[in-house]
Amino acid sequence: MRTSLRSALLFSASLLAVLPGVSAIAADQPAGGSYQAAIASPIRTDDDRKADAKRKPAEFLAFAGVKPGMKALDIAAGGGATAALLTAAVGQKGEVWAQNAKPNPKLQERVGNATLPNLHAIVADFNDPVPKGTPPLDLVTINMSYHDIANTPADRAAMNKRLYEALKPGGVLVIVDNAARKGAGLSATKTLHRIDEETVVEEVTRAGFKLDARSDYLHVASDPREQPFFKMNAPDDKFALRFKK
């Protein structure tokens, strides 16, 4: 029988009590602290774990400054790998919304029929991806999907402005994506599924955000950035940006 998400979160809480050296999710956890309990959570699937070597979830959570009790929105959530990781990290007192522009069967299967009260699978247009009634958010993430959004008819200026409005003062938007060559702009979003880092910075700051930090935890200097990431036999270069309201 497939374990429900509610049972999985309860199991995660009990896991903390028996794993030595792991900080309790129920306690405040500073950026850069141990997120191993969230990464080990049974909410996450085997496929999620297979991608950990490439995605580095501990570094992602630390860079985003995820803490228990946060309210977070994951944009272009796909099958929900990032949303599940965030749900495990924010704990039962937190809340996570997983947005897609159209229903995603994998996300629905992940959530299951007994939807966990603090994980919401939502369908919303990218122009206005924040569901009505959502409280002020602590965190918004767009994990390797900003370039995909650039390939849709969506008005990214409207989206970024809406995300800015949805965040609390001091709230954070984290964008991770596949790096194009400098100066490439949007020219590689369809052909290489990459985007120029500075183009993202320019678009997001235009909405009112301030660039708070960059991280090179996914930087691969040897990548010539001439191929789509999924055609490479080696890790591709990615950038991570943190913006603050």
mmCIF file of all heavy atoms in Angstrom, residues 87-127:
data_model
loop_
_atom_site.group_PDB
_atom_site.id
_atom_site.type_symbol
_atom_site.label_atom_id
_atom_site.label_comp_id
_atom_site.label_asym_id
_atom_site.label_seq_id
_atom_site.Cartn_x
_atom_site.Cartn_y
_atom_site.Cartn_z
ATOM 1 N N THR A 87 8.313 20.862 1.085
ATOM 2 C CA THR A 87 7.317 20.430 2.068
ATOM 3 C C THR A 87 7.986 19.718 3.235
ATOM 4 O O THR A 87 7.647 19.956 4.400
ATOM 5 C CB THR A 87 6.279 19.509 1.407
ATOM 6 O OG1 THR A 87 5.631 20.208 0.348
ATOM 7 C CG2 THR A 87 5.230 19.056 2.413
ATOM 8 N N ALA A 88 8.943 18.847 2.931
ATOM 9 C CA ALA A 88 9.663 18.161 4.000
ATOM 10 C C ALA A 88 10.465 19.134 4.854
ATOM 11 O O ALA A 88 10.567 18.977 6.068
ATOM 12 C CB ALA A 88 10.587 17.105 3.399
ATOM 13 N N ALA A 89 11.013 20.174 4.224
ATOM 14 C CA ALA A 89 11.866 21.121 4.946
ATOM 15 C C ALA A 89 11.075 22.118 5.790
ATOM 16 O O ALA A 89 11.531 22.515 6.861
ATOM 17 C CB ALA A 89 12.764 21.869 3.960
ATOM 18 N N VAL A 90 9.903 22.550 5.316
ATOM 19 C CA VAL A 90 9.128 23.531 6.089
ATOM 20 C C VAL A 90 8.332 22.864 7.203
ATOM 21 O O VAL A 90 7.882 23.523 8.136
ATOM 22 C CB VAL A 90 8.181 24.361 5.193
ATOM 23 C CG1 VAL A 90 8.951 25.094 4.113
ATOM 24 C CG2 VAL A 90 7.073 23.502 4.590
ATOM 25 N N GLY A 91 8.154 21.537 7.129
ATOM 26 C CA GLY A 91 7.476 20.817 8.195
ATOM 27 C C GLY A 91 5.977 21.050 8.231
ATOM 28 O O GLY A 91 5.402 21.745 7.391
ATOM 29 N N GLN A 92 5.350 20.457 9.213
ATOM 30 C CA GLN A 92 3.884 20.489 9.293
ATOM 31 C C GLN A 92 3.330 21.879 9.568
ATOM 32 O O GLN A 92 2.163 22.147 9.289
ATOM 33 C CB GLN A 92 3.410 19.507 10.368
ATOM 34 C CG GLN A 92 3.714 18.054 10.026
ATOM 35 C CD GLN A 92 3.148 17.101 11.050
ATOM 36 O OE1 GLN A 92 1.940 17.019 11.230
ATOM 37 N NE2 GLN A 92 4.024 16.373 11.731
ATOM 38 N N LYS A 93 4.138 22.765 10.122
ATOM 39 C CA LYS A 93 3.671 24.131 10.383
ATOM 40 C C LYS A 93 3.868 25.043 9.185
ATOM 41 O O LYS A 93 3.431 26.189 9.196
ATOM 42 C CB LYS A 93 4.386 24.704 11.611
ATOM 43 C CG LYS A 93 4.019 23.995 12.905
ATOM 44 C CD LYS A 93 4.683 24.647 14.102
ATOM 45 C CE LYS A 93 4.303 23.941 15.398
ATOM 46 N NZ LYS A 93 4.949 24.582 16.577
ATOM 47 N N GLY A 94 4.548 24.556 8.168
ATOM 48 C CA GLY A 94 4.733 25.325 6.945
ATOM 49 C C GLY A 94 3.681 24.968 5.918
ATOM 50 O O GLY A 94 2.791 24.143 6.153
ATOM 51 N N GLU A 95 3.794 25.585 4.738
ATOM 52 C CA GLU A 95 2.807 25.347 3.689
ATOM 53 C C GLU A 95 3.480 25.566 2.340
ATOM 54 O O GLU A 95 4.279 26.493 2.182
ATOM 55 C CB GLU A 95 1.632 26.311 3.855
ATOM 56 C CG GLU A 95 0.357 25.828 3.217
ATOM 57 C CD GLU A 95 -0.874 26.527 3.798
ATOM 58 O OE1 GLU A 95 -0.708 27.444 4.638
ATOM 59 O OE2 GLU A 95 -1.986 26.160 3.413
ATOM 60 N N VAL A 96 3.157 24.708 1.376
ATOM 61 C CA VAL A 96 3.769 24.770 0.060
ATOM 62 C C VAL A 96 2.694 24.660 -1.016
ATOM 63 O O VAL A 96 1.804 23.811 -0.934
ATOM 64 C CB VAL A 96 4.805 23.634 -0.136
ATOM 65 C CG1 VAL A 96 5.370 23.663 -1.554
ATOM 66 C CG2 VAL A 96 5.936 23.763 0.887
ATOM 67 N N TRP A 97 2.799 25.534 -2.021
ATOM 68 C CA TRP A 97 1.933 25.479 -3.197
ATOM 69 C C TRP A 97 2.799 25.074 -4.386
ATOM 70 O O TRP A 97 3.881 25.642 -4.605
ATOM 71 C CB TRP A 97 1.283 26.827 -3.467
ATOM 72 C CG TRP A 97 0.231 27.184 -2.469
ATOM 73 C CD1 TRP A 97 -1.131 27.036 -2.601
ATOM 74 C CD2 TRP A 97 0.428 27.790 -1.181
ATOM 75 N NE1 TRP A 97 -1.776 27.485 -1.470
ATOM 76 C CE2 TRP A 97 -0.849 27.950 -0.582
ATOM 77 C CE3 TRP A 97 1.560 28.187 -0.452
ATOM 78 C CZ2 TRP A 97 -1.019 28.496 0.675
ATOM 79 C CZ3 TRP A 97 1.395 28.732 0.801
ATOM 80 C CH2 TRP A 97 0.119 28.883 1.354
ATOM 81 N N ALA A 98 2.336 24.095 -5.161
ATOM 82 C CA ALA A 98 3.051 23.624 -6.347
ATOM 83 C C ALA A 98 2.232 24.014 -7.567
ATOM 84 O O ALA A 98 1.176 23.435 -7.828
ATOM 85 C CB ALA A 98 3.245 22.111 -6.283
ATOM 86 N N GLN A 99 2.731 25.007 -8.329
ATOM 87 C CA GLN A 99 1.985 25.560 -9.457
ATOM 88 C C GLN A 99 2.437 24.979 -10.783
ATOM 89 O O GLN A 99 3.626 24.835 -11.052
ATOM 90 C CB GLN A 99 2.150 27.092 -9.489
ATOM 91 C CG GLN A 99 1.449 27.774 -10.651
ATOM 92 C CD GLN A 99 2.341 27.955 -11.895
ATOM 93 O OE1 GLN A 99 3.553 27.740 -11.823
ATOM 94 N NE2 GLN A 99 1.743 28.342 -12.999
ATOM 95 N N ASN A 100 1.464 24.641 -11.606
ATOM 96 C CA ASN A 100 1.706 24.297 -13.007
ATOM 97 C C ASN A 100 0.667 25.018 -13.856
ATOM 98 O O ASN A 100 -0.434 25.327 -13.381
ATOM 99 C CB ASN A 100 1.591 22.792 -13.246
ATOM 100 C CG ASN A 100 2.829 22.035 -12.779
ATOM 101 O OD1 ASN A 100 3.943 22.349 -13.177
ATOM 102 N ND2 ASN A 100 2.630 21.035 -11.926
ATOM 103 N N ALA A 101 1.010 25.263 -15.111
ATOM 104 C CA ALA A 101 0.072 25.931 -16.007
ATOM 105 C C ALA A 101 -1.036 24.988 -16.471
ATOM 106 O O ALA A 101 -2.085 25.441 -16.935
ATOM 107 C CB ALA A 101 0.808 26.504 -17.217
ATOM 108 N N LYS A 102 -0.803 23.694 -16.358
ATOM 109 C CA LYS A 102 -1.835 22.699 -16.662
ATOM 110 C C LYS A 102 -1.644 21.519 -15.723
ATOM 111 O O LYS A 102 -0.550 21.340 -15.152
ATOM 112 C CB LYS A 102 -1.755 22.258 -18.128
ATOM 113 C CG LYS A 102 -0.430 21.654 -18.538
ATOM 114 C CD LYS A 102 -0.430 21.327 -20.025
ATOM 115 C CE LYS A 102 0.908 20.732 -20.463
ATOM 116 N NZ LYS A 102 0.918 20.410 -21.912
ATOM 117 N N PRO A 103 -2.669 20.699 -15.530
ATOM 118 C CA PRO A 103 -2.541 19.583 -14.585
ATOM 119 C C PRO A 103 -1.368 18.675 -14.941
ATOM 120 O O PRO A 103 -1.118 18.385 -16.113
ATOM 121 C CB PRO A 103 -3.877 18.847 -14.728
ATOM 122 C CG PRO A 103 -4.830 19.885 -15.220
ATOM 123 C CD PRO A 103 -4.026 20.793 -16.108
ATOM 124 N N ASN A 104 -0.663 18.226 -13.925
ATOM 125 C CA ASN A 104 0.471 17.329 -14.114
ATOM 126 C C ASN A 104 0.159 15.995 -13.428
ATOM 127 O O ASN A 104 0.052 15.945 -12.202
ATOM 128 C CB ASN A 104 1.746 17.940 -13.532
ATOM 129 C CG ASN A 104 2.974 17.100 -13.818
ATOM 130 O OD1 ASN A 104 3.135 16.013 -13.286
ATOM 131 N ND2 ASN A 104 3.848 17.611 -14.674
ATOM 132 N N PRO A 105 0.002 14.921 -14.200
ATOM 133 C CA PRO A 105 -0.365 13.625 -13.608
ATOM 134 C C PRO A 105 0.612 13.141 -12.549
ATOM 135 O O PRO A 105 0.206 12.543 -11.545
ATOM 136 C CB PRO A 105 -0.390 12.683 -14.819
ATOM 137 C CG PRO A 105 -0.628 13.572 -15.992
ATOM 138 C CD PRO A 105 0.069 14.857 -15.669
ATOM 139 N N LYS A 106 1.903 13.379 -12.761
ATOM 140 C CA LYS A 106 2.899 12.920 -11.789
ATOM 141 C C LYS A 106 2.732 13.641 -10.454
ATOM 142 O O LYS A 106 2.886 13.040 -9.392
ATOM 143 C CB LYS A 106 4.309 13.129 -12.334
ATOM 144 C CG LYS A 106 4.681 12.163 -13.450
ATOM 145 C CD LYS A 106 6.141 12.336 -13.852
ATOM 146 C CE LYS A 106 6.531 11.340 -14.941
ATOM 147 N NZ LYS A 106 7.961 11.497 -15.331
ATOM 148 N N LEU A 107 2.433 14.933 -10.519
ATOM 149 C CA LEU A 107 2.210 15.681 -9.283
ATOM 150 C C LEU A 107 0.951 15.176 -8.586
ATOM 151 O O LEU A 107 0.937 14.992 -7.365
ATOM 152 C CB LEU A 107 2.098 17.179 -9.584
ATOM 153 C CG LEU A 107 1.818 18.075 -8.381
ATOM 154 C CD1 LEU A 107 2.914 17.961 -7.332
ATOM 155 C CD2 LEU A 107 1.669 19.532 -8.833
ATOM 156 N N GLN A 108 -0.098 14.948 -9.352
ATOM 157 C CA GLN A 108 -1.333 14.455 -8.765
ATOM 158 C C GLN A 108 -1.109 13.087 -8.125
ATOM 159 O O GLN A 108 -1.636 12.795 -7.047
ATOM 160 C CB GLN A 108 -2.426 14.377 -9.836
ATOM 161 C CG GLN A 108 -2.828 15.716 -10.422
ATOM 162 C CD GLN A 108 -3.410 16.666 -9.398
ATOM 163 O OE1 GLN A 108 -3.950 16.255 -8.384
ATOM 164 N NE2 GLN A 108 -3.278 17.961 -9.657
ATOM 165 N N GLU A 109 -0.339 12.231 -8.780
ATOM 166 C CA GLU A 109 -0.039 10.911 -8.217
ATOM 167 C C GLU A 109 0.782 11.048 -6.949
ATOM 168 O O GLU A 109 0.574 10.322 -5.970
ATOM 169 C CB GLU A 109 0.725 10.083 -9.245
ATOM 170 C CG GLU A 109 1.043 8.675 -8.767
ATOM 171 C CD GLU A 109 1.814 7.870 -9.792
ATOM 172 O OE1 GLU A 109 2.057 8.390 -10.898
ATOM 173 O OE2 GLU A 109 2.172 6.721 -9.475
ATOM 174 N N ARG A 110 1.720 11.990 -6.946
ATOM 175 C CA ARG A 110 2.558 12.208 -5.766
ATOM 176 C C ARG A 110 1.713 12.651 -4.580
ATOM 177 O O ARG A 110 1.862 12.150 -3.469
ATOM 178 C CB ARG A 110 3.618 13.266 -6.067
ATOM 179 C CG ARG A 110 4.598 13.504 -4.931
ATOM 180 C CD ARG A 110 5.439 14.739 -5.200
ATOM 181 N NE ARG A 110 6.341 14.592 -6.317
ATOM 182 C CZ ARG A 110 7.582 14.129 -6.227
ATOM 183 N NH1 ARG A 110 8.069 13.754 -5.055
ATOM 184 N NH2 ARG A 110 8.346 14.060 -7.293
ATOM 185 N N VAL A 111 0.828 13.598 -4.849
ATOM 186 C CA VAL A 111 -0.006 14.113 -3.769
ATOM 187 C C VAL A 111 -0.992 13.041 -3.308
ATOM 188 O O VAL A 111 -1.252 12.882 -2.116
ATOM 189 C CB VAL A 111 -0.746 15.386 -4.232
ATOM 190 C CG1 VAL A 111 -1.767 15.826 -3.202
ATOM 191 C CG2 VAL A 111 0.255 16.504 -4.494
ATOM 192 N N GLY A 112 -1.558 12.301 -4.260
ATOM 193 C CA GLY A 112 -2.483 11.237 -3.909
ATOM 194 C C GLY A 112 -3.867 11.762 -3.593
ATOM 195 O O GLY A 112 -4.144 12.963 -3.621
ATOM 196 N N ASN A 113 -4.739 10.858 -3.319
ATOM 197 C CA ASN A 113 -6.127 11.233 -3.037
ATOM 198 C C ASN A 113 -6.270 11.939 -1.703
ATOM 199 O O ASN A 113 -7.116 12.818 -1.544
ATOM 200 C CB ASN A 113 -7.023 9.987 -3.068
ATOM 201 C CG ASN A 113 -7.104 9.382 -4.458
ATOM 202 O OD1 ASN A 113 -7.088 10.099 -5.448
ATOM 203 N ND2 ASN A 113 -7.169 8.059 -4.519
ATOM 204 N N ALA A 114 -5.464 11.542 -0.714
ATOM 205 C CA ALA A 114 -5.526 12.182 0.605
ATOM 206 C C ALA A 114 -4.516 13.319 0.635
ATOM 207 O O ALA A 114 -3.439 13.221 1.209
ATOM 208 C CB ALA A 114 -5.226 11.170 1.698
ATOM 209 N N THR A 115 -4.854 14.439 -0.013
ATOM 210 C CA THR A 115 -3.932 15.565 -0.130
ATOM 211 C C THR A 115 -3.511 16.067 1.239
ATOM 212 O O THR A 115 -4.335 16.323 2.101
ATOM 213 C CB THR A 115 -4.587 16.719 -0.911
ATOM 214 O OG1 THR A 115 -5.008 16.219 -2.174
ATOM 215 C CG2 THR A 115 -3.609 17.858 -1.119
ATOM 216 N N LEU A 116 -2.216 16.174 1.434
ATOM 217 C CA LEU A 116 -1.694 16.714 2.682
ATOM 218 C C LEU A 116 -2.147 18.162 2.829
ATOM 219 O O LEU A 116 -2.026 18.941 1.882
ATOM 220 C CB LEU A 116 -0.175 16.634 2.674
ATOM 221 C CG LEU A 116 0.519 16.826 4.014
ATOM 222 C CD1 LEU A 116 0.268 15.639 4.919
ATOM 223 C CD2 LEU A 116 2.003 17.018 3.807
ATOM 224 N N PRO A 117 -2.657 18.552 3.986
ATOM 225 C CA PRO A 117 -3.188 19.908 4.131
ATOM 226 C C PRO A 117 -2.198 21.013 3.812
ATOM 227 O O PRO A 117 -2.602 22.095 3.410
ATOM 228 C CB PRO A 117 -3.600 19.956 5.616
ATOM 229 C CG PRO A 117 -3.876 18.544 5.973
ATOM 230 C CD PRO A 117 -2.889 17.732 5.184
ATOM 231 N N ASN A 118 -0.897 20.766 3.978
ATOM 232 C CA ASN A 118 0.055 21.855 3.752
ATOM 233 C C ASN A 118 0.823 21.728 2.433
ATOM 234 O O ASN A 118 1.816 22.410 2.222
ATOM 235 C CB ASN A 118 1.034 21.972 4.926
ATOM 236 C CG ASN A 118 1.934 20.760 5.061
ATOM 237 O OD1 ASN A 118 1.583 19.668 4.642
ATOM 238 N ND2 ASN A 118 3.092 20.958 5.664
ATOM 239 N N LEU A 119 0.358 20.847 1.530
ATOM 240 C CA LEU A 119 0.914 20.780 0.182
ATOM 241 C C LEU A 119 -0.230 20.866 -0.816
ATOM 242 O O LEU A 119 -1.128 20.034 -0.814
ATOM 243 C CB LEU A 119 1.700 19.487 -0.031
ATOM 244 C CG LEU A 119 2.222 19.251 -1.456
ATOM 245 C CD1 LEU A 119 3.164 20.380 -1.883
ATOM 246 C CD2 LEU A 119 2.923 17.908 -1.573
ATOM 247 N N HIS A 120 -0.198 21.898 -1.648
ATOM 248 C CA HIS A 120 -1.310 22.162 -2.563
ATOM 249 C C HIS A 120 -0.831 22.109 -4.011
ATOM 250 O O HIS A 120 0.065 22.859 -4.394
ATOM 251 C CB HIS A 120 -1.910 23.548 -2.291
ATOM 252 C CG HIS A 120 -2.126 23.826 -0.837
ATOM 253 N ND1 HIS A 120 -3.172 23.301 -0.123
ATOM 254 C CD2 HIS A 120 -1.406 24.573 0.043
ATOM 255 C CE1 HIS A 120 -3.115 23.716 1.142
ATOM 256 N NE2 HIS A 120 -2.043 24.486 1.258
ATOM 257 N N ALA A 121 -1.427 21.227 -4.800
ATOM 258 C CA ALA A 121 -1.179 21.197 -6.233
ATOM 259 C C ALA A 121 -2.174 22.133 -6.901
ATOM 260 O O ALA A 121 -3.382 21.955 -6.772
ATOM 261 C CB ALA A 121 -1.340 19.777 -6.768
ATOM 262 N N ILE A 122 -1.677 23.160 -7.589
ATOM 263 C CA ILE A 122 -2.568 24.155 -8.181
ATOM 264 C C ILE A 122 -2.275 24.319 -9.669
ATOM 265 O O ILE A 122 -1.162 24.100 -10.122
ATOM 266 C CB ILE A 122 -2.435 25.524 -7.473
ATOM 267 C CG1 ILE A 122 -0.997 26.045 -7.585
ATOM 268 C CG2 ILE A 122 -2.862 25.427 -6.012
ATOM 269 C CD1 ILE A 122 -0.840 27.484 -7.153
ATOM 270 N N VAL A 123 -3.320 24.686 -10.400
ATOM 271 C CA VAL A 123 -3.191 24.996 -11.819
ATOM 272 C C VAL A 123 -3.516 26.473 -11.981
ATOM 273 O O VAL A 123 -4.599 26.928 -11.608
ATOM 274 C CB VAL A 123 -4.141 24.138 -12.672
ATOM 275 C CG1 VAL A 123 -4.058 24.541 -14.138
ATOM 276 C CG2 VAL A 123 -3.804 22.657 -12.508
ATOM 277 N N ALA A 124 -2.559 27.221 -12.509
ATOM 278 C CA ALA A 124 -2.738 28.669 -12.668
ATOM 279 C C ALA A 124 -1.863 29.153 -13.811
ATOM 280 O O ALA A 124 -0.789 28.600 -14.059
ATOM 281 C CB ALA A 124 -2.373 29.403 -11.375
ATOM 282 N N ASP A 125 -2.322 30.185 -14.486
ATOM 283 C CA ASP A 125 -1.571 30.774 -15.588
ATOM 284 C C ASP A 125 -0.300 31.435 -15.054
ATOM 285 O O ASP A 125 -0.292 31.986 -13.957
ATOM 286 C CB ASP A 125 -2.445 31.811 -16.291
ATOM 287 C CG ASP A 125 -1.823 32.297 -17.585
ATOM 288 O OD1 ASP A 125 -2.039 31.663 -18.618
ATOM 289 O OD2 ASP A 125 -1.105 33.311 -17.527
ATOM 290 N N PHE A 126 0.770 31.394 -15.838
ATOM 291 C CA PHE A 126 2.016 32.022 -15.404
ATOM 292 C C PHE A 126 1.868 33.530 -15.215
ATOM 293 O O PHE A 126 2.599 34.130 -14.422
ATOM 294 C CB PHE A 126 3.139 31.743 -16.406
ATOM 295 C CG PHE A 126 3.642 30.330 -16.371
ATOM 296 C CD1 PHE A 126 3.614 29.540 -17.510
ATOM 297 C CD2 PHE A 126 4.137 29.788 -15.200
ATOM 298 C CE1 PHE A 126 4.075 28.233 -17.483
ATOM 299 C CE2 PHE A 126 4.602 28.481 -15.155
ATOM 300 C CZ PHE A 126 4.571 27.704 -16.305
ATOM 301 N N ASN A 127 0.954 34.147 -15.936
ATOM 302 C CA ASN A 127 0.758 35.588 -15.767
ATOM 303 C C ASN A 127 0.297 35.934 -14.359
ATOM 304 O O ASN A 127 0.575 37.024 -13.862
ATOM 305 C CB ASN A 127 -0.266 36.110 -16.774
ATOM 306 C CG ASN A 127 0.229 36.027 -18.202
ATOM 307 O OD1 ASN A 127 1.418 35.878 -18.454
ATOM 308 N ND2 ASN A 127 -0.681 36.118 -19.147
#
